């Protein structure tokens, strides 16, 4: 049995230990995203039930001219994207900015050099006019470094509704860290999935094909792979809830049976009662009042917003 946290070899080990020895049990959703988890998330974004991607694509397609006009400023601007991924959505904006001959640089930030290089290469082929400067590193460190990079306006882009995977307190810290790197001229453009018919939300996080189930269970699979554990994935049920009062969707893995799981690398045996749960992820849904409150707490204000025709998803522009 581990006794002190100093014996852990990584944050992953320590967080898994903490989560599975707590009551109720939990695991942090950020650990879903290893190579396998990234692939599964790509598949989720292609699912018809996962409306978020298409909604945001529609917003960008329909409102790109108005959005670009707000971004643009005399002297040009730097478009800095946090977590650019394959850039599918961003390319809609980039195409338009290039067509309008706006003066801008595109600076995608990502932890993965590989992802950035693929994005740069695809842009060279598809929109060679874009001046791309890839920035490998963690979001805030890299943003900090860019804070005094030049005197141009910074437009910070955060697509998807990634902020929804954070509790409000952490979401405020996330926004505050961005705010600290902003000047008064700078702007933040960010996606927030909206409150809607609860069934629509449940379906998006509980698809019939089982992709989201595999995504959620990748936490256990990863513990098996990296920490030499013996979770039997079939012994757990993927379970999704949505509370329309708080706007919080929550994912769980529920133990179908009374069981013991050994995690060798942690020298830990985890006991589960039948139907005991592990909380794995939150996906917060928002309305204008909550977004305005988060922004205010972080020292930001909403300048404008763009939504799809059903008002399922919204992109907000914030200023300091
Ligand atoms: C990355 N993030 C915004 C996704 C979401 O909608 O919360 C992760 C996800 N979880 C299950 N499906 C997708």
């Amino acid at each position: 049995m581990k006794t002190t946290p100093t014996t852990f070899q990584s944050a992953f080990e320590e967080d898994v230990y903490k989560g599975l020895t707590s009551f109720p049990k939990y695991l942090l959703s950020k650990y879903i995203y290893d190579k396998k988890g990234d692939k599964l998330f790509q598949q989720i974004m292609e699912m018809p039930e996962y409306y978020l991607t298409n909604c945001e694509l529609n917003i960008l397609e329909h409102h790109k001219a108005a959005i670009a006009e707000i971004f643009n400023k005399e002297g040009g601007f730097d478009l800095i994207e946090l977590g650019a991924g394959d850039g599918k959505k961003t390319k809609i904006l980039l195409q338009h900015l290039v067509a309008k001959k706006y003066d801008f640089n595109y600076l995608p930030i990502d932890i993965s050099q590989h992802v950035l290089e693929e994005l740069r290469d695809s842009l060279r082929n598809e929109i060679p006019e874009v001046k791309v400067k890839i920035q490998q590193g963690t979001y805030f460190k890299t943003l900090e470094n860019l804070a005094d990079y030049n005197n141009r306006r910074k437009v910070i882009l955060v697509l998807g509704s990634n902020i929804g995977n954070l509790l409000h307190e952490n979401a405020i810290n996330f926004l505050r860290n961005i705010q600290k790197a902003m000047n008064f001229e700078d702007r933040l453009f960010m996606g927030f999935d909206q409150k809607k018919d609860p069934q629509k939300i449940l379906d998006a996080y509980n698809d019939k094909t089982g992709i989201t189930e595999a995504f959620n269970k990748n936490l256990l699979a990863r513990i098996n792979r990296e920490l030499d554990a013996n979770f039997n994935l079939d012994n757990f049920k993927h379970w999704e809830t949505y509370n329309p009062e708080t706007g919080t969707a929550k994912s769980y893995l529920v133990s179908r049976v009374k069981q013991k799981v050994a995690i060798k690398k942690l020298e830990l045996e985890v006991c589960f009662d039948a139907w005991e749960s592990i909380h794995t992820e939150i996906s917060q849904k928002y309305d204008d009042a909550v977004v305005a409150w988060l922004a205010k707490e972080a020292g930001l204000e909403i300048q404008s917003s763009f939504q799809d025709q059903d008002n399922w998803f919204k992109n907000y522009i914030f200023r300091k």
Side-chain angles (χ1 to χ4, degrees):
M1 195 74 167
K2 295 253 178 204
T3 46
T4 55
T6 49
T7 56
F8 295 116
Q9 277 164 22
S10 64
F12 178 53
E13 285 191 5
E14 185 170 353
D15 288 338
V16 168
Y17 185 91
K18 268 195 199 159
L20 293 182
T21 53
S22 290
F23 183 80
K25 294 179 172 65
Y26 69 89
L27 288 166
L28 301 180
S29 63
K30 65 177 176 182
Y31 293 120
I32 300 175
Y33 300 91
D34 62 355
K35 221 171 164 186
K36 181 85 200 294
D38 285 346
K39 270 215 187 103
L40 286 163
F41 185 54
Q42 289 293 336
Q43 283 174 255
I44 285 177
M45 288 194 292
E46 302 288 325
M47 301 183 328
E49 298 91 335
Y50 196 70
Y51 58 85
L52 289 80
T53 316
N54 275 336
C55 285
E56 200 173 31
L57 275 170
N58 282 339
I59 293 171
L60 294 172
E61 199 53 72
H62 280 98
H63 299 286
K64 59 192 174 195
I67 294 168
E69 245 177 69
I70 298 178
F71 286 1
N72 193 33
K73 191 174 177 290
E74 222 184 278
F77 64 97
D78 287 331
L79 188 61
I80 303 171
E81 181 164 21
L82 308 189
D86 66 2
K88 185 175 168 192
K89 289 182 269 191
T90 317
K91 283 175 187 168
I92 298 174
L93 276 178
L94 295 176
Q95 294 273 17
H96 182 79
L97 294 170
V98 162
K100 285 278 172 190
K101 297 199 166 32
Y102 286 134
D103 174 16
F104 76 102
N105 299 313
Y106 175 49
L107 287 70
I109 302 179
D110 205 287
I111 196 77
S112 157
Q113 180 72 15
H114 173 70
V115 162
L116 288 169
E117 284 171 5
E118 276 200 352
L119 176 60
R120 185 186 52 199
D121 294 346
S122 75
L123 280 169
R124 272 191 193 143
N125 284 328
E126 294 166 39
I127 330 176
E129 300 88 345
V130 176
K131 287 176 263 167
V132 197
K133 295 180 188 166
I134 59 176
Q135 312 283 323
Q136 191 272 328
T138 56
Y139 291 171
F140 301 129
K141 198 90 222 100
T142 317
L143 254 188
E144 233 176 75
N145 294 340
L146 289 175
D148 302 312
Y149 159 72
N150 58 28
N151 286 330
R152 303 175 104 195
R153 161 180 277 180
K154 290 192 293 299
V155 177
I156 300 160
L157 211 61
V158 193
L159 301 182
S161 189
N162 293 350
I163 194 162
N165 298 128
L166 302 175
L167 293 167
H168 285 326
E169 189 190 332
N170 300 335
I172 290 167
N173 285 333
F174 181 73
L175 289 170
R176 196 177 288 131
N177 279 326
I178 296 177
Q179 181 267 126
K180 280 192 206 146
M182 287 168 71
N183 294 314
F184 287 103
E185 288 300 327
D186 297 342
R187 297 291 180 265
L188 167 65
F189 183 85
M190 196 184 263
F192 288 76
D193 195 20
Q194 300 289 296
K195 287 182 178 173
K196 60 184 66 61
D197 181 344
Q199 192 58 55
K200 188 86 201 153
I201 294 169
L202 284 176
D203 292 348
Y205 292 90
N206 194 18
D207 59 289
K208 292 203 171 59
T209 43
I211 298 171
T212 310
E213 176 183 350
F215 174 78
N216 194 10
K217 286 187 178 178
N218 191 48
L219 274 167
L220 305 184
R222 182 171 180 185
I223 296 172
N224 280 351
R225 283 192 292 272
E226 293 184 23
L227 304 182
D228 197 7
N230 64 352
F231 278 103
N232 176 349
L233 273 47
D234 294 335
N235 279 347
F236 289 85
K237 189 181 175 102
H238 168 72
W239 192 253
E240 192 67 29
T241 66
Y242 175 67
N243 178 342
E245 189 176 353
T246 60
T248 311
K250 282 188 177 184
S251 307
Y252 297 89
L253 291 167
V254 185
S255 178
R256 294 177 190 274
V257 291
K258 186 176 167 72
Q259 56 178 322
K260 281 183 185 156
V261 176
I263 308 180
K264 280 203 185 141
K265 225 166 159 206
L266 298 181
E267 294 165 38
L268 179 69
E269 192 174 64
V270 188
C271 298
F272 291 89
D273 282 333
W275 307 116
E276 185 179 348
S277 62
I278 312 172
H279 169 50
T280 52
E281 190 185 43
I282 74 157
S283 297
Q284 182 64 37
K285 308 303 163 198
Y286 300 90
D287 54 32
D288 284 348
V290 173
V291 175
W293 168 71
L294 293 174
K296 187 160 170 273
E297 292 295 306
L300 292 166
E301 63 172 321
I302 300 171
Q303 177 180 356
S304 44
S305 63
F306 301 90
Q307 65 199 57
D308 62 295
Q309 72 252 28
D310 300 309
N311 198 15
W312 284 353
F313 196 92
K314 226 160 167 174
N315 289 90
Y316 294 79
I317 298 185
F318 301 94
R319 67 178 163 213
K320 228 172 151 154

